[in-house]
Amino acid sequence: MAGWWLPTLRSRLLLGVSLGWLMLVATLLLYSHLSGGTLAKRENLTHLEYEADLVAQQLRRSIQERQNALARLEPSLSVDDPDLVTRLQAQEGLLSLFDRLMVFDAEGEPVAAWPPFELGGPTIADRDYFRYVRGIRRPHVSEPYEGGETGVPQIMVIEPLLDDEGRFLGILGGNSSLRDGDAFINLRSLRIGAQGYVMLATSRGQVISHPDSGWIMQWVPGAERVPLMDRALYGWEGSGMGEELGGEPALMAFRQIWPADWVVGAFLPMSQVRAPIQRYATELRWVGLATMAFMLPLLWWLLGLGLAPLHRLERLIERIGRGDVESLAVDTSLGELRQVAKAFDRLDAQRRDALAAREAREAFLQAVLESSPVGMFLADMTGRMNYINPALESLSGFDLATSRTSEWVRRVHVDDRPAFIENWRAMLQSGEERRQQYRFLRGDQSLWLEMQVSQVQLDEAALGFVGMIQDITERHERETRQRWEAEHDLLTGCLNRRGFENRLEEACSLHRRKSDKVLSLIMMDLDHFKPVNDTAGHAAGDELLRRIGQLLQDAVRQRDAVARLGGDEFALLLPGCPLDQAADIAERIRERIEQIEFRAEGHGFRVTASIGVSRLDEEDRDGGPLVKRADRASYRAKHRGRNQVVIQDGVRAAAET
């Protein structure tokens, strides 16, 4: 009956494909509904960015309004004014912006406040914000702190008090409580939908405003918990999906408030985003289940009818594979199956010819690999080695027959192993050609190897990987020696001028990124060095320079840079070293050089050093001003009698012996 109304394989498969097509259409319709989740996410992110922008703009205006108001009041104030409290009380406009106005003198002692302090007011000399403003003498917004009298979390907007010559006289500050519902930084009442909210934090990660008051003045978790928020603390602005402070997944957007160095974040929990989509998905799920319950039995029966002749063809092909028959003899009324049988016979003949040709090519390739003087290996798509040639066995001492592929990884030097593994995995994933250099342990010997790996493809299908490995130990040592010699003085082992300039550029770059808060430089010229060369010869002068170079390297830390800039001129670059500490180091070096008793050619010599010390200032864009200040200080030391340490504009010296 079925053979009458479905006479060909094409008609039977057409019916099955038609039914499958209906299922595909239903699936696409379902997917179109589910893809609304992506649209909802994008639209909600756009909305969050808009909300974060609005809040950030409002806070910027509020901060600038308060800073401008304090700046207008500052010129009219004096810490010695007996009516200062009355003047503060009269500032009705400012008092509407702050909880309290305060004036402190240059020592951090309270001078006046309105509303007045109950207990006379706290001393703030040791507070970070006071020391910061006293140092930079610019307006500043403090980190959150607890009030000295009330213990209430608050922030202070600060304007320095300066005289006509720019001397620091104290500060004028206005504070705002973090828990006061009317404070301009209190964002707890802002809501985005039913569960969304806005948070405010400092760039150091301390929470200023949060709907959960327990988070106020707490620290934001680390990057492993909240990576997007951690990026925002470093200045990033944008949006994405991550975890909120409580650990729940949420959409979030961040904006920077640069006048106060704050970050504002708008959050929308994913439960609120997904709620309408989940309701719709539940409805579609029931429709899909009902459809599948009806279609699956029908498709099962129809495909069984359509594939019955193919099963008979399968059994015949198995008999050909076993060698029972040499060709397909299909007894069927379906014209398509008879055509398939003829095509299979032709294909089988071509397969036997191709198999013979492949065996010949494999034999040729095997001979080429085994005779190659270059180490070579073959690996499958998972990265497992399945062949290494004799040259590679001899080079590495690795025997594929008795060792696993992972043994090769364990013999990579431990310092190079992570990069080796990462590069290998990247090559497996991308299929791109890779070249890598690493150290390989062969017994007690460490070799530098260079590996080049390429993917083998046939008709755009990846078959595996082929790699070449060469011993580059001598070349690597030669290049390493050349790089060292390019940046070092061969006489003393110290950095040369080129190496010093490179280290100076790196140190200044780190300083600009605030990795190191301070950077100091010591520059020195030797006094009375010329008589050594003139009297005892240049060989004696070179020996003395070597001793001086070793003395300088012993006097500083490993991270510091010691350079011989030419002749008898030396420099010491001290990252992370304050100016006064650098001056102490320079003084010790001066004393040690002064104590050197050098004898050559029957003569005794005493040399001293004229030393200049400087530091990198905030306004310096590169190391040029730092070097000029240290060089001028060294020049002044030499012209003030030598054997001295001059610190920029100050002098620290000892009598020349």
Side-chain angles (χ1 to χ4, degrees), residues 495-513:
L495 293 171
N496 58 19
R497 183 174 292 276
R498 176 183 178 183
F500 170 75
E501 291 175 350
N502 291 339
R503 298 301 188 279
L504 178 61
E505 182 179 353
E506 293 172 0
C508 292
S509 177
L510 286 173
H511 183 273
R512 287 193 296 270
R513 295 198 300 268

Side-chain angles (χ1 to χ4, degrees), residues 416 437-439 446-450 470-473 476:
D416 299 337
Q437 296 179 1
Y438 58 92
R439 286 167 288 181
S446 178
L447 304 176
W448 272 98
L449 302 182
E450 182 176 66
Q470 299 182 14
D471 183 359
I472 60 167
T473 304
H476 186 274

Side-chain angles (χ1 to χ4, degrees), residues 97-374:
L97 299 177
F98 296 104
D99 295 339
R100 173 178 286 163
L101 294 177
M102 300 165 287
V103 175
F104 294 85
D105 63 18
E107 304 302 324
E109 296 294 335
V111 176
W114 189 264
F117 294 114
E118 295 180 1
L119 302 177
T123 298
I124 62 171
D126 59 343
R127 299 282 178 90
D128 290 341
Y129 60 80
F130 181 78
R131 293 199 299 265
Y132 182 82
V133 175
R134 183 171 57 189
I136 66 170
R137 302 181 185 182
R138 297 176 186 168
H140 177 60
V141 179
S142 74
E143 293 284 321
Y145 65 93
E146 290 187 355
E149 287 186 340
T150 62
V152 174
Q154 53 191 280
I155 60 100
M156 183 186 298
V157 180
I158 304 169
E159 180 74 19
L161 299 176
L162 309 174
D163 63 10
D164 294 339
E165 297 181 358
R167 287 191 293 268
F168 181 73
L169 302 179
I171 66 169
L172 167 63
N175 66 355
S176 293
S177 169
L178 303 186
R179 300 190 187 277
D180 186 356
D182 297 329
F184 76 100
I185 53 177
N186 189 335
L187 309 178
R188 283 179 288 171
S189 60
L190 293 180
R191 286 293 178 178
I192 304 173
Q195 299 173 312
Y197 63 90
V198 178
M199 186 199 81
L200 184 64
T202 68
S203 62
R204 294 178 58 191
Q206 196 170 17
V207 178
I208 299 176
S209 178
H210 192 278
D212 182 356
S213 59
W215 275 105
I216 294 178
M217 291 192 69
Q218 300 298 314
W219 294 96
V220 172
E224 67 281 356
R225 272 276 314 277
V226 286
L228 290 183
M229 196 175 305
D230 185 71
R231 289 174 59 191
L233 296 180
Y234 283 94
W236 174 74
E237 291 186 328
S239 60
M241 187 174 74
E243 289 187 4
E244 59 181 352
L245 297 185
E248 295 297 325
L251 299 180
M252 55 194 71
F254 297 97
R255 291 295 183 267
Q256 303 293 327
I257 304 174
W258 300 114
D261 211 9
W262 291 346
V263 179
V264 63
F267 297 82
L268 189 64
M270 290 303 299
S271 58
Q272 180 175 332
V273 177
R274 294 170 179 162
I277 302 172
Q278 289 174 344
R279 288 194 300 270
Y280 187 60
T282 301
E283 297 173 358
L284 286 178
R285 189 179 301 115
W286 285 110
V287 173
L289 289 175
T291 304
M292 291 295 292
F294 173 76
M295 294 297 297
L296 282 178
L298 180 61
L299 282 176
W300 180 265
W301 177 70
L302 290 174
L303 288 176
L305 291 177
L307 295 177
L310 288 178
H311 292 318
R312 293 196 297 270
L313 181 62
E314 177 188 7
R315 289 191 290 272
L316 283 174
I317 292 174
E318 289 179 352
R319 294 184 62 189
I320 290 178
R322 293 194 302 266
D324 297 339
V325 295
E326 293 185 356
S327 62
L328 289 176
V330 181
D331 183 13
T332 178
S333 61
L334 297 178
E336 291 88 345
L337 280 184
R338 289 195 299 270
Q339 294 175 2
V340 169
K342 293 178 181 179
F344 180 83
D345 288 339
R346 291 193 300 269
L347 180 62
D348 186 57
Q350 295 173 1
R351 180 185 63 84
R352 289 193 293 267
D353 294 341
L355 182 60
R358 189 184 69 179
E359 291 175 349
R361 289 196 300 270
E362 288 181 350
F364 176 75
L365 176 61
Q366 185 76 14
V368 170
L369 292 175
E370 292 184 354
S371 62
S372 172
V374 178

